[in-house]
Each structure stands twice: as structure tokens, then as C-alpha cells.
């Protein structure tokens, strides 16, 4: 397999589930979001919406909302000080959901390249289908025909990531 700095970053990226309490820098946050913004999008329509939550009160609210979807009370964001909520604006593109997924992938890889820990957290769709979730979007001034896609949590890792799981065999077909 050919290898370079980008490929090495892709192969070593892991999800982190333990973070230091120190907030990431504005430059790091902007760089990760910018990497997401440059993900491929259907016909270049760019239907992804990003909401970076660092305010402790709002972060606690979304953590509670996310946990309630699972029927729990813990912190589904694993103590990460930054949560970037990613939405697909379905009025912009019929493939905005898929585009937002690519965007999150870019963000996870950008975070790794900067030495940040990250993890994709689900249940954003369910959170923002609730009246409380909808009210948060209004409070924040976020508009559009939004479908929650996921959350990218960011922070400085506290510890080492898990070892990678062996890649599944038998799922690649080359048709030449």
C-alpha cells in the first residue's frame, strides 16, 4: 500500500472517550470546522450546518438531551469541552445528509492531525426533533430545514486511545 502523511493520519485516527477539561483554542476549532466545510458535497451545494457549543450551560443542556434519548443521565460527550453539532439543511440539497456525514469524517481526521481527541456521537437527530431541541436552535438563531446528523466532540485527549480493531476480511472486491 502506498503511504504518505495523509494516509498515515487516516490509519492512526481513533475515537477518544476521555478528555482534559482545558478548552481547545479558537484556531483549532476553526481549523477543524473548516476541514469539515471543505468535504465533498453533492453538486457543490454545501448543505451542512455547524453549531459549535462551548458554553458550559448549553453544553450541559445538550448532554442531558442526548442522554435522555438513550434513557440515561450520564455525559454522552465523555467530558469533551467542545461539541460541534452537525446538521443537514435539506432545503439546500437532497443529499445534504450524506454530505454532512462526509463533513464529520473530515473533522475527525483534521482533529487527529492537530493532536486533538475526537469522536462521532449519534442521536443529534432525535435531540433536535424535541421541542426543547427546537427551542435551542431558535435561541441560537440557527435556521433552515435542519436534520440532525451527528456531533463531533473535541478536546485534548486524557490518555491513550484504544488499540485498533483488526479490519474485517472478505469485504473488498476488485472487478478488473
Amino acid at each position: 500500500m502506498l503511504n504518505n502523511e495523509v494516509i498515515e493520519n487516516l490509519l492512526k485516527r481513533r475515537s477518544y472517550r476521555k478528555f482534559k477539561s482545558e478548552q481547545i483554542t479558537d484556531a483549532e476549532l476553526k481549523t477543524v470546522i473548516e476541514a469539515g466545510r471543505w468535504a465533498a458535497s453533492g453538486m457543490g451545494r454545501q448543505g451542512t450546518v455547524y453549531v459549535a457549543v462551548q458554553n458550559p450551560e448549553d453544553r450541559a443542556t445538550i448532554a442531558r438531551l442526548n442522554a435522555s434519548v438513550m434513557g440515561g443521565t450520564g455525559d454522552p460527550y465523555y467530558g469533551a469541552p467542545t461539541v460541534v453539532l452537525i446538521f443537514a439543511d435539506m432545503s439546500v440539497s437532497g443529499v445534504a445528509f450524506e454530505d454532512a456525514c462526509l463533513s464529520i469524517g473530515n473533522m475527525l481526521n483534521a482533529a487527529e492531525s492537530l493532536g486533538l481527541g475526537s469522536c462521532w456521537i449519534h442521536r443529534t437527530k432525535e435531540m433536535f426533533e424535541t421541542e426543547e431541541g427546537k427551542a435551542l436552535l431558535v435561541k441560537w438563531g440557527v435556521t433552515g430545514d435542519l436534520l440532525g446528523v451527528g456531533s463531533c466532540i473535541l478536546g485534548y485527549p486524557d490518555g491513550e486511545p484504544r488499540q485498533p480493531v483488526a479490519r474485517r476480511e472478505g469485504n473488498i472486491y476488485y472487478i478488473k
Side-chain angles (χ1 to χ4, degrees):
M1 177 171 67
L2 300 174
N3 212 354
N4 64 34
E5 186 178 337
V6 173
I7 299 299
E8 286 177 27
N9 189 71
L10 292 170
L11 297 179
K12 76 174 189 171
R13 195 210 70 78
R14 298 286 170 268
S15 293
Y16 284 84
R17 292 177 178 85
K18 188 174 181 190
F19 298 88
K20 296 177 181 175
S21 60
E22 178 186 354
Q23 188 57 265
I24 65 173
T25 68
D26 288 348
E28 289 166 332
L29 176 58
K30 289 176 183 177
T31 299
V32 169
I33 292 174
E34 195 64 15
R37 292 183 67 228
W38 281 90
S41 67
M43 299 179 70
R45 291 198 176 143
Q46 305 172 41
T48 306
V49 175
Y50 309 85
V51 179
V53 180
Q54 293 181 312
N55 172 295
E57 182 180 304
D58 287 333
R59 193 223 172 269
T61 299
I62 63 173
R64 181 181 47 74
L65 278 173
N66 192 300
S68 70
V69 171
M70 298 185 300
T73 58
D75 181 5
Y77 299 127
Y78 301 102
T82 297
V83 179
V84 182
L85 303 164
I86 294 94
F87 297 89
D89 187 339
M90 301 308 290
S91 69
V92 173
S93 170
V95 294
F97 178 86
E98 291 83 353
D99 294 346
C101 291
L102 285 172
S103 180
I104 296 171
N106 270 22
M107 293 170 68
L108 297 171
N109 288 310
E112 176 68 32
S113 76
L114 297 173
L116 298 174
S118 66
C119 189
W120 181 327
I121 305 296
H122 295 281
R123 297 169 298 280
T124 305
K125 175 182 180 288
E126 295 84 355
M127 291 167 53
F128 289 93
E129 288 175 338
T130 69
E131 291 307 313
E132 188 175 6
K134 292 174 186 175
L136 277 175
L137 293 175
V138 170
K139 170 187 167 185
W140 296 332
V142 179
T143 61
D145 180 15
L146 302 179
L147 176 65
V149 176
S151 301
C152 178
I153 59 173
L154 300 167
Y156 298 117
D158 186 5
E160 297 298 317
R162 295 179 185 172
Q163 290 300 308
V165 175
R167 299 296 93 178
R168 186 169 72 93
E169 296 294 328
N171 61 342
I172 301 172
Y173 299 87
Y174 296 100
I175 313 302
K176 294 185 178 192

